[in-house]
Amino acid sequence: MYQSISQRVTELRNWLTRNGLDALIIPHEDEYLGEYVPEHNERLHWLTGFTGSAGAAVITQTSAAIFVDGRYTVQVRKQVPQELFEYRHLIEEPYLDWLQSHLPTGSKVGYDPRMHRASWLTATQSKLAGELELVATEGNAIDQLWHDRPAPVVSDMRLMSDELVGVNSATKRQRIADILRSKKADSAVLTELDSICWLLNIRGLDVSRLPVLLSHAIVHSDASVDFFLDPARLAERFENHVGAGVRVHHPDTLQTELEKLSGKKVIVDPATSNAWFTLTLQNVNAELIKDADPCLLPKAAKNATEIKGMKACHVRDGAAMAKFLSWLDSEVAAGKLHNEAQLADKLQAFRELDPTLADLSFDTISAATTNAAMCHYNHMNQPEPGKLEMNTLYLVDSGGQYTDGTTDITRTIAIGEVSDEIKQQFTLVLKGHIALAKARFPKGTCGHQLDVLARQHLWANGYDYDHGTGHGVGHFLSVHEGPQRISKVFNNVALLPGMVLSNEPGYYRADGFGIRIENLELVVEVETQGDFHVHGFESLTRCPIDVRAINVNMLTKPELNWLNDYHQKVWDDVSPLVEGDVKQWLKQATQPIAH
């Protein structure tokens, strides 16, 4: 591996010389800028050996560095040769600062505009102005040097019937066309894979954990769409499925079709589209409108059919979780302390009993003992997976992609008897979870305005967690859906009925233990005696919360009532789907706690 990486770095430096460049930026992202990168686009991994989900590398003729955030500071040292790359913190020392300190004024820094957001290009040009010259490359250097590059996954296109999604594609396209006209736009470029699949009511599995097809689209104010996907991949009856007005093009013609927008007013979302679209449209004198992807809000606010599906798949997912947790308790009682990989595989096997499961919604976070203190831990990136230990905690964050919805759930499980200190921290997290679940808020409220509810009890005792409290979740689409979210960071997107968000406060003690309790919540309208609209949350997740880790004396009567009511709903919905020992376990796990 070391020799191979060394050779690749040398080849890349030769490429720099041939192209008259002094440095090259290699981000982890690919041209689709999604959270998940398919294997054939893992360019950063090819060059460096790094397998993390975020990072970047910079290569000059005399030096190189890899930049990762705090999640990967240990992992990067195990995977990337220190003789070739300096290790740098992505946040504390951004790679643009590193470039400015390592290159003389006037140096040419290459970048592939397809691998960077349009917003990045604007900010970077401003930062480097007068010091370094940013040069868009023709083609991608890694692609030219990666001779044993895996072939892309070519999955089957799945047509989503009205019975599953509620609204046909023609109706959705008309709604988006109305939005375009309201913004005086002729067209909008769609680069978010889940937006395209939502608009055309199709799904695929081109990317692991994300039920999409690698494609692009342009939607126009007359409700027509130019869809860029190899026509050979179209499902039978695709034309009838989408209706008139969808023109299918081979991806190789994308630039040609973009150039036809010369002189047109085109929405390009700088936060989601890559810089190549902006540069291409600017070159043909299109008038760019910097605005959000017009599909984001309509997609985020689920319709009645999608809501019904989300509720149904969460009940079935809850049954899979109950089977897993019942099995786990019986194994621990028998003295069988499995490792993290075995546990993740077992949970996946229980989910796969459901024929509607298309994939997991993300790689399962299966974290035993101190590993749970790393909130985005992945046992597959370790030399060997950790193992359960008695009198500690086990954290499992997992989910499924079902044909009628997407799930995401975290449960923290007591393995044996846990300490009073662990119970205190678990209960503080639970109190925050309950506070957010019970929240009532006026129409127009944004997620950042609710974040304090989940943190208040931790804050009161001098604790916090270093991640957001809630992310949006799609309907058989991305498990991390925008634009809605709940976090400390300002977000001006109001929460709308039909949106689904996670509720996942946590607590993490380095080298000690980790706790997270996550349910998915549906935003609903709440009837009140007042004269203005009030919204609240309805919990979708159906799985017990481990009462063995709770200090009941720390819970108020309303909090206990919420927990007992929630467990009653779990029992009512899930018990008909399980039997035998699992049903007996579920009955015990959902017993009401006395006040």
Side-chain angles (χ1 to χ4, degrees):
M1 173 62 81
Y2 169 78
Q3 184 60 38
S4 176
I5 292 175
S6 175
Q7 190 172 22
R8 292 168 187 177
V9 170
T10 299
E11 290 177 354
L12 192 54
R13 286 186 169 132
N14 292 336
W15 184 91
L16 288 175
T17 299
R18 291 195 301 271
N19 287 271
L21 297 172
D22 300 295
L24 182 69
I25 300 169
I26 304 99
H28 177 260
E29 290 79 12
D30 68 358
E31 52 267 46
Y32 300 98
L33 301 179
E35 178 181 6
Y36 301 106
V37 176
E39 185 182 5
H40 74 282
N41 283 345
E42 285 281 5
R43 299 175 176 95
L44 183 64
H45 173 237
W46 177 85
L47 177 66
T48 67
F50 177 64
T51 61
S53 63
V58 175
I59 302 288
T60 76
Q61 287 290 3
T62 57
S63 57
I66 185 164
F67 300 77
V68 300
D69 62 30
R71 293 174 291 171
Y72 299 115
T73 52
V74 175
Q75 179 180 326
V76 72
R77 294 176 182 275
K78 296 178 180 179
Q79 296 181 326
V80 181
Q82 64 178 350
E83 295 88 351
L84 297 175
F85 291 89
E86 300 176 25
Y87 305 130
R88 292 289 178 260
H89 196 288
L90 187 64
I91 310 302
E92 296 173 1
E93 187 183 1
Y95 58 78
L96 295 180
D97 292 352
W98 186 90
L99 279 165
Q100 288 174 315
S101 67
H102 281 71
L103 293 176
T105 300
S107 295
K108 295 182 177 181
V109 178
Y111 76 103
D112 183 342
R114 289 176 171 83
M115 311 296 146
H116 299 271
R117 299 182 192 280
S119 55
W120 174 92
L121 178 59
T122 301
T124 302
Q125 287 174 328
S126 176
K127 182 175 178 62
L128 299 184
E131 294 188 36
L132 303 176
E133 181 182 349
L134 200 61
V135 180
T137 63
E138 287 291 333
N140 186 276
I142 303 297
D143 294 355
Q144 296 171 29
L145 301 174
W146 192 354
H147 302 304
D148 58 348
R149 185 179 180 188
V153 172
V154 180
S155 64
D156 292 335
M157 176 186 288
R158 183 193 298 261
L159 304 181
M160 300 293 289
S161 67
D162 293 356
E163 288 75 20
L164 286 172
V165 296
V167 178
N168 65 39
S169 175
T171 302
K172 289 182 178 180
R173 298 199 306 274
Q174 188 59 58
R175 182 179 179 187
I176 300 305
D178 293 342
I179 294 173
L180 296 185
R181 289 194 295 270
S182 73
K183 297 178 180 292
K184 296 180 169 52
D186 298 303
S187 307
V189 173
L190 300 182
T191 59
E192 290 279 83
L193 299 174
D194 57 338
S195 288
I196 298 168
C197 287
W198 172 84
L199 184 64
L200 299 179
N201 286 342
I202 56 177
R203 301 291 190 271
L205 286 173
D206 285 4
V207 184
S208 176
R209 313 316 191 199
L210 186 64
V212 298
L213 299 160
L214 295 176
S215 57
H216 291 107
I218 305 170
V219 58
H220 304 282
S221 58
D222 64 356
S224 69
V225 168
D226 290 299
F227 178 41
F228 299 88
L229 183 79
D230 185 345
R233 300 190 59 191
L234 296 180
E236 188 178 352
R237 305 187 311 278
F238 172 80
E239 291 184 2
N240 291 336
H241 175 71
V242 296
V246 177
R247 298 174 291 271
V248 181
H249 309 269
H250 194 280
D252 292 346
T253 67
L254 177 58
Q255 182 167 343
T256 300
E257 294 300 319
L258 285 172
E259 290 170 351
K260 293 180 181 178
L261 298 177
S262 174
K264 301 291 187 180
K265 297 179 179 179
V266 185
I267 291 177
V268 180
D269 188 341
T272 63
S273 68
N274 68 50
W276 178 83
F277 285 97
T278 295
L279 295 174
T280 301
L281 290 167
Q282 285 176 341
N283 288 341
V284 297
N285 296 316
E287 183 179 336
L288 298 190
I289 300 174
K290 295 181 179 179
D291 205 343
D293 176 337
C295 296
L296 292 184
L297 280 176
K299 171 168 59 66
K302 279 67 176 172
N303 61 46
T305 300
E306 292 170 322
I307 291 170
K308 181 181 177 181
M310 290 292 276
K311 289 182 176 181
C313 75
H314 275 83
V315 172
R316 301 195 308 276
D317 197 71
M321 286 294 301
K323 293 172 185 177
F324 170 72
L325 294 175
S326 170
W327 169 84
L328 175 60
D329 273 4
S330 65
E331 293 291 285
V332 171
K336 300 177 182 178
L337 300 178
H338 298 287
N339 69 38
E340 295 160 338
Q342 293 167 326
L343 294 167
D345 290 345
K346 189 68 174 180
L347 176 52
Q348 181 171 344
F350 281 125
R351 279 199 169 96
E352 288 174 343
L353 296 174
D354 187 332
T356 69
L357 183 78
D359 196 359
L360 301 184
S361 55
F362 55 96
D363 290 339
T364 298
I365 297 174
S366 176
T369 65
T370 59
N371 291 335
M374 294 178 274
C375 59
H376 292 101
Y377 173 77
N378 188 334
H379 65 272
M380 292 185 287
N381 290 334
Q382 307 305 312
E384 60 181 57
K387 189 176 179 181
L388 294 179
E389 294 179 11
M390 292 302 296
N391 306 325
T392 61
L393 296 174
Y394 169 61
L395 185 153
V396 58
D397 186 348
S398 65
Q401 292 284 9
Y402 300 90
T403 54
D404 53 352
T406 301
T407 68
D408 181 2
I409 172 177
T410 307
R411 287 296 182 262
T412 307
I413 309 302
I415 306 299
E417 293 290 330
V418 295
S419 67
D420 289 343
E421 180 183 26
I422 286 177
K423 288 183 178 180
Q424 171 185 292
Q425 300 306 112
F426 186 97
T427 310
L428 291 175
V429 172
L430 176 60
K431 288 169 73 72
H433 179 97
I434 294 172
L436 183 57
K438 288 166 55 69
R440 296 292 180 264
F441 45 93
K443 179 180 178 181
T445 299
C446 302
H448 68 273
Q449 295 171 297
L450 301 177
D451 184 76
V452 62
L453 296 175
R455 299 181 193 267
Q456 59 181 315
H457 300 287
L458 288 163
W459 281 355
N461 288 273
Y463 305 112
D464 200 2
Y465 50 93
D466 190 21
H467 59 73
T469 298
H471 56 82
V473 177
H475 174 262
F476 189 27
L477 281 170
S478 177
V479 74
H480 294 142
E481 178 183 75
Q484 72 275 25
R485 65 180 300 190
I486 301 172
S487 74
K488 296 177 183 177
V489 179
F490 175 79
N491 182 303
N492 64 351
V493 176
L495 301 186
L496 302 173
M499 284 182 171
V500 175
L501 299 102
S502 65
N503 171 2
E504 50 181 310
Y507 174 76
Y508 311 91
R509 180 167 299 175
D511 300 321
F513 56 90
I515 298 164
R516 187 159 65 253
I517 302 171
E518 176 188 19
N519 282 357
L520 295 192
E521 311 281 357
L522 173 70
V523 181
V524 296
E525 293 189 12
V526 178
E527 292 186 9
T528 68
Q529 297 178 350
D531 56 1
F532 69 98
H533 292 288
V534 172
H535 296 159
F537 293 120
E538 177 184 333
S539 296
L540 296 175
T541 305
R542 291 292 184 262
C543 178
I545 295 168
D546 194 349
V547 299
R548 298 169 301 186
I550 299 174
N551 180 343
V552 177
N553 294 328
M554 292 173 60
L555 295 179
T556 65
K557 186 174 181 179
E559 289 168 342
L560 273 173
N561 286 339
W562 180 92
L563 184 62
N564 288 336
D565 289 346
Y566 174 72
H567 278 159
Q568 185 62 52
K569 292 173 185 173
V570 172
W571 170 256
D572 291 344
D573 290 345
V574 177
S575 62
L577 302 184
V578 296
E579 54 189 19
D581 291 343
V582 179
K583 179 171 269 188
Q584 197 60 39
W585 175 90
L586 184 65
K587 184 175 183 179
Q588 181 64 35
T590 57
Q591 284 293 306
I593 301 174
H595 295 294

